[in-house]
Amino acid sequence: MFVEQQIGKRFIGNNVPKVGAEKNRTLYSALSSCIEEGIVASSQSIHRGGLIVALSKTAMGGMLGMDVSLERLSGSYSRDDFALYSESQGRLVVTVAPQFKKIFEERMQGNIFSQIGTTIGDDHFIIKNKDGKDIVNTNLNLMLESYKSTFRGY
């Protein structure tokens, strides 16, 4: 508010994410069932740092590359950075082996979800914008070294 008064513009980031408790409960219940059945390989909540951090942690944790396209992301967004860094509650990154894809989708019916990418058997980490252009193209070893170096000496 002070910033708006001083410069006459709205400050980006003023909107506190709203939590849809009932919607999230339905989502988490369905996901929990999938985990108990062994359908889910990994699951990461999207929180601090948004989607890009959740995808990065998932890729580094499994040491599997990823090929992701924001074109397939549910919902709408006006800029790629909004899609990648939004910390809206109730969203998850879930990996599922190909043989469990159909059953996962059946179990998750009634929830909003979309397949935005795949894990790949090499160390490439690629994210494409909604126009299909690479906006992130790196490898897991660089990512992991950068991530670990932040905490070196602690």
Side-chain angles (χ1 to χ4, degrees), residues 60 123 137-148:
M60 289 186 294
D123 68 348
N137 191 336
T138 189
N139 72 61
L140 290 177
N141 292 321
L142 277 173
M143 292 169 58
L144 202 52
E145 175 57 31
S146 179
Y147 184 75
K148 287 181 175 182

Side-chain angles (χ1 to χ4, degrees), residues 7-85:
I7 63 174
K9 295 180 183 177
R10 292 198 53 129
F11 188 78
I12 295 173
N14 284 346
N15 300 326
V16 176
K18 294 176 177 53
V19 177
E22 191 57 39
K23 186 169 87 170
N24 289 354
R25 189 170 77 88
T26 301
L27 172 69
Y28 296 146
S29 178
L31 179 65
S32 179
S33 295
C34 289
I35 291 169
E36 288 173 7
E37 291 180 54
I39 297 168
V40 171
S42 72
S43 178
Q44 173 76 39
S45 65
I46 299 174
H47 53 283
R48 287 191 195 115
L51 176 62
I52 194 160
V53 171
L55 289 168
S56 298
K57 287 172 125 179
T58 299
M60 289 186 294
M63 288 306 292
L64 287 171
M66 283 191 177
D67 187 1
V68 174
S69 173
L70 297 182
E71 181 180 19
R72 297 177 283 207
L73 190 62
S74 298
S76 62
Y77 58 93
S78 57
R79 294 181 5 199
D80 296 332
D81 58 329
F82 290 174
L84 291 172
Y85 293 100

Side-chain angles (χ1 to χ4, degrees), residues 64-69 72 95 98 115-121 124 126:
L64 287 171
M66 283 191 177
D67 187 1
V68 174
S69 173
R72 297 177 283 207
T95 59
Q115 180 181 346
I116 63 169
T118 57
T119 57
I120 52 181
H124 290 90
I126 303 163

